[in-house]
């Protein structure tokens, strides 16, 4: 698989997700899927991870 995957937070009850004919397992509350799947999965409760407190994008700037 040459395409980079995007990590999404999964809904609480999700065990896996199927997209484009491929099954992606949910592990530790998140799943890694192709970037093209993000918009489709958002309507099913999957979301981009929220930034953690204490880790600023402009830290040290």
């Amino acid at each position: 698989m040459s395409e980079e995957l995007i990590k999404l937070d999964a809904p609480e009850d999700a065990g896996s997700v199927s997209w484009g004919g491929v099954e992606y397992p949910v592990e530790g509350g998140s799943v890694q899927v192709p970037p093209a799947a993000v918009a489709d999965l958002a309507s099913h409760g999957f979301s981009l991870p929220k930034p953690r407190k204490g880790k600023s994008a402009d830290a040290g700037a």
Side-chain angles (χ1 to χ4, degrees):
M1 193 182 260
S2 62
E3 185 175 23
E4 224 178 289
L5 300 178
I6 301 287
K7 185 176 185 177
L8 297 177
D9 286 340
E12 270 189 47
D13 59 346
S16 67
V17 65
S18 179
W19 186 86
V22 178
E23 189 90 11
Y24 298 92
V26 172
E27 297 173 346
S30 62
V31 63
Q32 293 190 34
V33 296
V38 174
D40 291 340
L41 297 178
S43 65
H44 297 282
F46 291 83
S47 62
L48 292 171
K50 303 203 179 7
R52 293 184 186 181
K53 289 186 177 187
K55 295 204 175 196
S56 176
D58 58 0

